[in-house]
């Protein structure tokens, strides 16, 4: 499978499109003035404690207070609070935790007002961006991610990704990381670390420890709220998380961004620098690679598939609902059950793509076409799981209910991607109404008289919609002949299919448009 990353940069935002075999599967948008990204680390202040919700609201500088639930505090909260307080007061003299006294873990079933106090400074990380009317959601379980490893302070656990199936490789990585990790720091080994040498992992671990040192230095005498560490920009974070040998090219249209990406690739994957190229701006980059057309055809309430079957996607505050319709797919089909399975499998693949593309999260209910055959139902569930394997967001797929509904929960960390593909009608200009068409010939006649009076020697031509052309030329005498008899001038009439039915344009003998206002 070929993977292409197409990056469209403008002064106000960066748009990133991920194509798999030429098909758009992910679309990311980052505004240059965005101050809150998932992964950013802040020192904030407890604004309010809500025992009823077992949560706290934290001031991190956002217009809405951020939400911190007890379940997101993590068992090492006491150590985090002590480190934060000591670092701000200057009592903690180093970023290393060798001599730091790890505090007892908090219990899972505790209450928020037992472990936190109002106006208390706290070190937190953004777990979810502001969505709809909600502020950011926070976590106290800090993570500093790299390409191969993830660093977790106040921890001593080394965990290896379950996607690394080889038992010997898992054991090798476990022992290797255990030997190089700093004291009181845990490490999560990512899938990309498979087969990597100790030098590669040690180099990345050193870089992550430098980031932790930066956090420590900024904590000294900090006055909350303060951002201590920014997540990588969207482009670099995507490259860090998904870049693999299967990528065939990365194309960017901005020279500065090109240099930044080149430098980042040189540090994380030098052998991949050769797939990076700078787009020369004869045509917009998204137009050249067919991204713009796919955006127009993919986003919207209805998504049509190659067979003619289509999805209807509806979103509410509580959940997202997807209805599968066969269209003409099953018309005249001899084996109805096989045809239903085929449509449902095609729909399942498109739904998996739509969830990634629109970044739909929360609860998703899918109404597939009813299937009575139990074997077919099992095939659909298994295939849906396979289609969703490419999705990096955490998700759970439940079997079909007795009503034929499939329920999916998908991690939601940022607002859903919504693009309005509708265009303003050029005829009514969005009002939904046009002038009476019966008066169109009167309007043309009035403007024609004005032009003939102001330019009596000009040869006049008029371009109209094909329907209007047919009307002006029909019959004997036609309207065109009447104009000749009345004005003693032959008015040429041409048609243009892209012209709205109530629009017309006059031209002179040089084919220059005659503007009337």
């Amino acid at each position: 499978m070929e993977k292409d990353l197409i990056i469209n940069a403008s002064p106000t935002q960066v748009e990133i499109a991920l194509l798999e075999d030429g098909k758009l599967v992910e679309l990311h948008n980052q505004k240059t003035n965005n101050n809150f990204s998932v992964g950013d680390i802040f020192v904030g202040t407890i604004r309010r404690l809500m025992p009823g919700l077992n949560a706290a609201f934290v001031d991190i500088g956002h217009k809405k207070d951020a939400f911190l639930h007890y379940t997101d505090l993590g068992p090492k909260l006491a150590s985090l609070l002590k480190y934060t307080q000591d670092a701000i007061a200057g009592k903690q003299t180093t970023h290393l935790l060798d001599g730091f006294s790890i505090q007892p873990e908090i219990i899972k079933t505790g209450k928020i007002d037992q472990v936190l106090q109002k106006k208390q400074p706290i070190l937190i990380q953004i777990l979810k961006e502001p969505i709809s009317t909600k502020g950011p959601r926070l976590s106290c379980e800090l993570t500093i991610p790299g390409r191969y490893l993830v660093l977790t302070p106040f921890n001593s656990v080394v965990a290896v990704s379950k996607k690394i199936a080889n038992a010997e490789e898992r054991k090798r990585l476990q022992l290797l990381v255990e030997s190089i990790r700093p004291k009181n720091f845990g490490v999560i080994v990512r899938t990309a670390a498979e087969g990597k040498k100790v030098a590669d992992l040690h180099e990345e671990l050193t870089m992550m420890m430098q980031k932790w040192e930066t956090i420590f230095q900024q904590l000294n005498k900090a006055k909350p709220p303060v951002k201590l560490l920014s997540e990588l920009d969207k482009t670099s974070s995507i490259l860090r998380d998904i870049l693999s040998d299967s990528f065939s090219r990365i194309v960017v249209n901005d020279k500065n961004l090109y240099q930044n990406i080149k430098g980042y690739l040189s540090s994380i994957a030098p052998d991949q620098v050769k797939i990076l190229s700078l787009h020369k701006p004869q045509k917009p980059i998204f137009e050249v690679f067919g991204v713009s057309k796919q955006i127009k055809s993919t986003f919207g309430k209805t998504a049509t598939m190659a067979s003619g079957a289509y999805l209807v996607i509806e979103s509410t505050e509580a959940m997202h609902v997807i209805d599968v319709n066969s269209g003409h797919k099953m018309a005249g089909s001899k084996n109805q059950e096989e045809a239903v399975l085929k449509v449902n499998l095609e729909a399942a693949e498109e739904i998996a793509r739509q969830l990634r593309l629109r970044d739909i999260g929360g609860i998703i209910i899918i109404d597939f076409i009813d299937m009575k055959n139990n074997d077919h139902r099992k095939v659909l569930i298994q295939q849906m799981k396979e289609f969703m394997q490419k999705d990096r967001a955490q998700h759970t797929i439940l079997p079909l209910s007795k009503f034929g509904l499939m329920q999916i929960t998908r991690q939601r960390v940022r607002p859903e991607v919504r693009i309005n593909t509708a265009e303003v009608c050029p005829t009514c200009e969005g009002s939904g109404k046009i002038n009476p068409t019966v008066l169109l010939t009167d309007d043309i006649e009035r403007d024609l008289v004005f032009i003939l009076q102001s330019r009596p020697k000009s040869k006049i031509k008029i371009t109209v919609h094909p329907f209007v052309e047919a009307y002006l030329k029909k019959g004997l005498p036609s309207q065109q002949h009447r104009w000749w008899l009345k004005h003693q001038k032959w008015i040429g009439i041409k048609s243009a299919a892209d012209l709205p039915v109530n629009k017309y344009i006059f031209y002179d003998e040089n084919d220059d448009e005659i503007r009337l206002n």
Side-chain angles (χ1 to χ4, degrees):
M1 177 186 293
E2 287 193 351
K3 289 185 181 179
D4 301 328
L5 203 64
I6 313 300
I7 304 166
N8 179 31
S10 68
T12 58
Q13 64 181 0
V14 176
E15 294 176 291
I16 306 158
L18 176 62
L19 306 180
E20 291 181 355
D21 290 334
K23 204 168 187 178
L24 183 65
V25 293
E26 288 186 27
L27 187 66
H28 301 270
N29 187 305
Q30 183 182 35
K31 288 184 170 57
T32 53
N33 62 350
N34 187 11
N35 295 321
F36 297 90
S37 297
V38 172
D40 287 352
I41 295 177
F42 288 77
V43 58
T45 307
I46 304 294
R47 183 74 69 92
R48 283 177 294 159
L49 296 175
M50 305 292 287
L53 298 174
N54 206 16
F57 285 97
V58 184
D59 178 18
I60 61 169
H62 190 260
K63 60 184 178 181
K64 284 185 176 289
D65 287 343
F67 183 77
L68 177 62
H69 194 269
Y70 188 90
T71 54
D72 294 319
L73 296 177
K76 303 293 184 180
L77 175 70
S79 298
L80 179 86
L81 292 174
K82 185 177 187 304
Y83 181 87
T84 305
Q85 192 172 4
D86 288 354
I88 291 174
K91 294 179 182 178
Q92 179 74 21
T93 57
T94 175
H95 67 290
L96 298 174
L97 302 179
D98 297 23
F100 182 79
S101 176
I102 298 295
Q103 303 298 301
E105 296 185 358
I106 64 170
I107 59 173
K108 291 183 179 180
T109 55
K111 299 296 181 184
I112 196 80
D113 52 0
Q114 294 173 345
V115 293
L116 292 179
Q117 299 173 5
K118 195 175 178 183
K119 296 184 179 180
Q120 185 177 18
I122 186 168
L123 200 59
I124 43 80
Q125 189 167 29
I126 293 188
L127 191 63
K128 294 183 180 181
E129 288 181 11
I131 297 173
S132 185
T133 58
K134 302 170 184 174
R137 182 157 181 170
L138 307 176
S139 171
C140 288
E141 296 187 272
L142 305 185
T143 58
I144 301 176
R147 191 178 181 211
Y148 308 126
L149 307 171
V150 178
L151 188 69
T152 57
F154 314 109
N155 208 326
S156 298
V157 177
V158 175
V160 181
S161 168
K162 293 178 182 178
K163 291 183 181 179
I164 300 176
N166 188 300
E168 288 185 7
E169 177 63 8
R170 290 175 62 85
K171 189 175 181 180
R172 181 187 78 89
L173 289 169
Q174 177 97 25
L175 293 172
L176 192 156
V177 172
E178 190 70 57
S179 67
I180 61 173
R181 72 172 181 85
K183 186 179 179 183
N184 291 329
F185 284 91
V187 177
I188 300 168
V189 183
R190 306 183 75 170
T191 311
E194 189 171 8
K196 296 301 174 184
K197 297 177 181 177
V198 63
D200 297 325
L201 303 183
H202 189 269
E203 183 182 0
E204 185 170 85
L205 194 59
T206 303
M207 290 173 61
M208 290 189 291
M209 285 301 294
Q210 288 172 354
K211 290 183 179 180
W212 178 250
E213 185 177 7
T214 302
I215 291 173
F216 167 74
Q217 289 170 350
Q218 290 183 295
L219 262 179
N220 188 22
K221 297 181 181 179
K223 295 182 179 179
V226 179
K227 183 191 284 190
L228 304 178
L229 184 71
S230 288
E231 171 64 306
L232 293 169
D233 62 79
K234 185 77 75 175
T235 308
S236 299
S237 64
I238 289 173
L239 286 173
R240 180 193 66 200
D241 293 341
I242 67 175
L243 184 66
S244 65
D245 294 337
S246 62
F247 266 76
S248 55
R249 59 184 166 182
I250 301 169
V251 189
V252 60
N253 67 341
D254 181 80
K255 195 169 184 179
N256 291 331
L257 190 56
Y258 168 81
Q259 294 295 341
N260 291 342
I261 295 172
K262 189 175 182 180
Y264 184 68
L265 281 177
S266 299
S267 65
I268 68 164
D271 55 325
Q272 297 284 67
V273 173
K274 61 180 181 290
I275 67 174
L276 178 66
S277 62
L278 180 63
H279 174 72
K280 295 180 180 178
Q282 287 104 352
K283 282 187 177 181
I285 188 170
F286 272 12
E287 188 178 322
V288 170
F289 290 94
V291 177
S292 296
K293 187 175 181 180
Q294 290 194 58
I295 290 173
K296 289 285 186 184
S297 63
T298 303
F299 286 89
K301 182 178 175 181
T302 304
T304 305
M305 293 167 278
S307 67
Y310 61 95
L311 308 174
V312 179
I313 303 171
E314 299 271 10
S315 297
T316 68
E317 188 73 16
M319 67 177 68
H320 305 269
V321 182
I322 302 175
D323 185 37
V324 179
N325 292 278
S326 62
H328 58 77
K329 177 75 176 174
M330 293 191 296
S333 177
K334 293 180 181 178
N335 190 328
Q336 194 78 0
E337 287 189 356
E338 290 293 335
V340 168
L341 176 62
K342 195 171 181 181
V343 171
N344 280 340
L345 289 177
E346 184 186 22
E349 185 174 11
E350 179 62 18
I351 288 167
R353 183 176 84 101
Q354 289 285 341
L355 296 184
R356 288 175 68 191
L357 185 56
R358 301 181 187 221
D359 206 5
I360 293 175
I363 301 171
I364 301 121
I365 307 293
I366 306 167
D367 183 11
F368 285 104
I369 300 170
D370 289 339
M371 293 186 296
K372 296 179 181 178
N373 188 315
N374 283 331
D375 290 337
H376 287 179
R377 292 162 71 97
K378 290 176 182 176
V379 168
L380 177 61
I381 295 164
Q382 185 58 39
Q383 286 295 107
M384 190 72 201
K385 289 179 179 178
E386 289 184 17
F387 293 142
M388 292 286 287
Q389 278 183 351
K390 299 174 189 174
D391 197 338
R392 291 179 291 131
Q394 294 179 12
H395 58 269
T396 304
I397 302 170
L398 298 182
L400 291 168
S401 71
K402 65 179 180 179
F403 299 115
L405 302 176
M406 180 180 286
Q407 299 174 63
I408 297 176
T409 58
R410 185 176 182 272
Q411 182 186 24
R412 177 166 64 176
V413 295
R414 56 181 59 87
E416 175 191 351
V417 178
R418 296 192 182 193
I419 298 176
N420 185 8
T421 58
E423 297 177 355
V424 175
C425 171
T427 302
C428 69
E429 295 180 345
S431 68
K433 298 177 181 179
I434 62 173
N435 292 332
T437 52
V438 71
L439 301 179
L440 182 62
T441 53
D442 293 347
D443 294 339
I444 295 173
E445 174 75 25
R446 183 189 65 243
D447 291 342
L448 179 61
V449 169
F450 174 78
I451 291 169
L452 290 173
Q453 287 174 351
S454 59
R455 335 177 45 151
K457 294 183 180 181
S458 295
K459 292 181 180 179
I460 310 299
K461 291 176 282 187
I462 183 173
T463 300
V464 294
H465 187 276
F467 292 170
V468 180
E469 180 199 26
Y471 176 79
L472 294 175
K473 289 183 174 181
K474 76 171 184 176
L476 274 175
S478 65
Q479 184 62 49
Q480 193 176 27
H481 283 97
R482 291 194 187 98
W483 285 340
W484 184 79
L485 292 170
K486 182 177 179 180
H487 304 294
Q488 296 297 302
K489 281 221 172 190
W490 185 256
I491 309 300
I493 301 175
K494 290 185 176 181
S495 66
D498 59 343
L499 206 62
V501 70
N502 65 336
K503 299 289 183 183
Y504 51 89
I505 303 172
F506 287 102
Y507 294 93
D508 61 18
E509 62 272 18
N510 299 318
D511 288 329
D512 292 328
E513 182 181 344
I514 301 172
R515 299 186 180 274
L516 299 171
N517 49 20

